[in-house]
Amino acid sequence: MRTVTVVGASLSGVYAARELRTQGFDGRLVIVGDEPHRPYDRPPLSKDFLTGRADEDQLALTDAEETAELDAEWLLGVRARGLDARGRTVLLDNGRTVSTDGVVIATGASARRLPGDDLAGVHTLRTLDDARALREELTRGPLRVVVIGGGFIGAETASSCAALGHDVTVVEAAPLPLVPHLGPDMAAVCAALHRRGGVSLVTGIGVAGLRGSGTVRSGGGRTAAPHDGPAAGPEVAEDVAPRRTVTGVRLTDGRTLPADVVIVGIGAIPNTGWLAGSTLALHDGVLCDDGCVTGLAQVVAVGDVARVGGARTEHWTSATEQPRVAVRNLLAGRTVDTVRSLPYFWSDQYGARIQFAGRRHEADTVRIAEGAIEDGAPAEGGFLALYERDGRTTAVLSVDRPRPFMRARRELARSAGPVEPAAL
């Protein structure tokens, strides 16, 4: 191969670029990114960056020395709009085309949105620009913040907002947050962290819509009567088109939660729209075999956009481990290696670190191996829980027990045999 194009200047895209050089590719390397920023780490966005404990320069995934070593052609602030696999060309939305012999798809995913979330005061948290806007918004406090979705992003963002002194409510449609990941018993224990952090948790109830008023925070324009649902068309303004402002979240049980700020954390949609019309198979991501190889040997996919061996996993570890295998197969021209890593994720909430590794099944039982649970919440010092089935450990969960967790994780990785992928 003379040219390889990495589409997506994401975590997985950067790791793929590193692997290409590490594994001996010395040809032309092109990295396409739709954001104007250099690659950055996303996990801190909902935590240290949001609370002001980390600045943008601390998010960088590469430094000047590594950038020089990669010797890549960076095309930032431009979106890919098509892939002509037959002609081996990546089409960009600025009209440019990139001829290439191999392609690494690393375009990630975008935050799901709600109807009406064009109201002022409604945020998602997926990109650096999202985090910048939300961080500035939170300086107007103290505010009434409603977080829609109790998953990892929602929980971490709620924790950060509470730490900043805001009045926070989390709304989760499921009976408990994180049930698919942890199971009902351990999900209930981790949900207690919200209450311990002073955050209200509303579960088992969906969101019917957002409520807004015509009051405008900045710029000219008239004040309109309150309304429900999506914002109407733009009103007349002298210099800045006014936006209606969110005032509440309407629940399916008829209640309305007052809100100055709403954060929508209801999952993500893989960025595959630019591949429409290509020959690649798409279904909630780019379909790949166990080696991240698509239906075309010269095209691989990694990270949040990739459905590898039937599972799409939106976790940092997947995004950093898949590129090694994907690049090896890309350079070989066929699948010679497969992804065999043990699923792992972590989350920092309310001063506690939650860590999980393995593949949980509904039939598993849970045993507290270290520490304790008191009044339905992690005791001081946390705990280590083992998920077990048929006399063997299938997964491990810890709250604030990092060293015992790492030992259990290593043992689990040694003993784990071939198992079906889990949709984490």
Side-chain angles (χ1 to χ4, degrees):
M1 289 186 176
R2 295 184 177 181
T3 301
V4 173
T5 301
V6 178
V7 185
S10 58
L11 176 70
S12 58
V14 169
Y15 270 71
R18 290 172 178 167
E19 285 293 338
L20 281 160
R21 293 310 191 200
T22 298
Q23 296 187 33
F25 177 71
D26 59 1
R28 180 188 179 210
L29 175 58
V30 181
I31 302 175
V32 178
D34 62 349
E35 295 184 60
H37 318 293
R38 286 281 177 173
Y40 57 89
D41 203 16
R42 295 183 191 274
L45 294 181
S46 58
K47 300 185 279 286
D48 287 352
F49 181 80
L50 199 59
T51 58
R53 293 193 299 267
D55 295 323
E56 291 185 21
D57 57 356
Q58 295 172 271
L59 305 178
L61 288 173
T62 59
D63 57 21
E65 182 179 356
E66 182 182 23
T67 299
E69 290 175 353
L70 285 177
D71 189 24
E73 180 181 345
W74 295 84
L75 304 178
L76 300 178
V78 59
R79 292 180 180 272
R81 66 174 180 85
L83 174 64
D84 181 358
R86 185 184 300 273
R88 300 198 175 191
T89 301
V90 176
L91 314 176
L92 307 180
D93 65 0
N94 63 1
R96 181 175 176 178
T97 61
V98 180
S99 298
T100 189
D101 303 301
V103 175
V104 179
I105 299 172
T107 43
S110 298
R112 291 184 183 275
R113 309 188 72 88
L114 283 175
D117 68 359
D118 56 345
L119 295 168
V122 180
H123 298 262
T124 56
L125 185 53
R126 186 81 186 181
T127 68
L128 176 57
D129 288 339
D130 292 340
R132 283 173 172 172
L134 179 56
R135 186 162 88 163
E136 177 162 348
E137 181 101 31
L138 294 173
T139 63
R140 299 191 302 111
L143 302 170
R144 297 167 299 179
V145 178
V146 176
V147 179
I148 302 174
F152 298 111
I153 294 296
E156 291 171 358
T157 305
S159 172
S160 295
C161 290
L164 291 170
H166 301 291
D167 179 7
V168 184
T169 300
V170 174
V171 179
E172 169 59 52
L176 285 168
L178 305 180
V179 167
H181 307 274
L182 307 180
D185 294 339
M186 292 298 101
V189 174
C190 291
L193 294 173
H194 289 285
R195 295 188 292 272
R196 194 164 77 184
V199 170
S200 300
L201 182 60
V202 178
T203 61
I205 299 172
V207 171
L210 303 179
R211 185 170 178 81
S213 77
T215 302
V216 181
R217 289 189 190 146
S218 62
R222 60 184 177 85
T223 298
H227 80 290
D228 291 334
E235 301 172 15
V236 177
E238 295 178 4
D239 51 4
V240 178
R243 295 175 64 194
R244 287 184 168 87
T245 301
V246 70
T247 59
V249 176
R250 293 186 295 114
L251 305 180
T252 53
D253 65 358
R255 285 182 291 165
T256 296
L257 301 176
D260 303 304
V261 173
V262 172
I263 301 161
V264 181
I266 55 174
I269 302 172
N271 292 325
T272 59
W274 68 284
L275 295 168
S278 72
T279 59
L280 299 182
L282 308 174
H283 179 68
D284 186 35
V286 179
L287 270 61
C288 309
D289 64 13
D290 291 337
C292 303
V293 179
T294 70
L296 300 170
Q298 74 273 21
V299 180
V300 297
V302 292
D304 292 357
V305 75
R307 178 166 286 275
V308 179
R312 189 171 68 84
T313 54
E314 296 180 17
H315 295 307
W316 192 91
T317 47
S318 299
T320 58
E321 291 174 353
Q322 290 173 357
R324 179 189 60 80
V325 172
V327 165
R328 184 180 178 195
N329 293 333
L330 178 67
L331 296 179
R334 58 189 179 89
T335 301
V336 296
D337 196 3
T338 58
V339 176
R340 294 183 295 272
S341 59
L342 188 73
Y344 164 68
F345 63 81
W346 79 92
S347 179
D348 295 319
Q349 305 172 20
Y350 307 103
R353 166 152 289 200
I354 301 171
Q355 294 174 283
F356 182 93
R359 298 176 172 89
R360 184 193 72 85
H361 292 255
E362 294 297 330
D364 292 353
T365 59
V366 184
R367 176 172 61 89
I368 304 301
E370 294 188 23
I373 296 171
E374 295 179 356
D375 298 325
E380 184 177 355
F383 67 88
L384 180 76
L386 302 180
Y387 293 74
E388 298 171 330
R389 186 174 66 257
D390 297 331
R392 68 182 183 91
T393 300
T394 59
V396 57
L397 165 71
S398 84
V399 175
D400 291 334
R401 293 256 171 165
R403 290 184 179 178
F405 173 82
M406 292 308 295
R407 291 195 296 269
R409 180 187 174 192
R410 286 193 296 267
E411 179 59 31
L412 185 61
R414 284 194 295 266
S415 62
V419 291
E420 60 190 71
L424 287 177

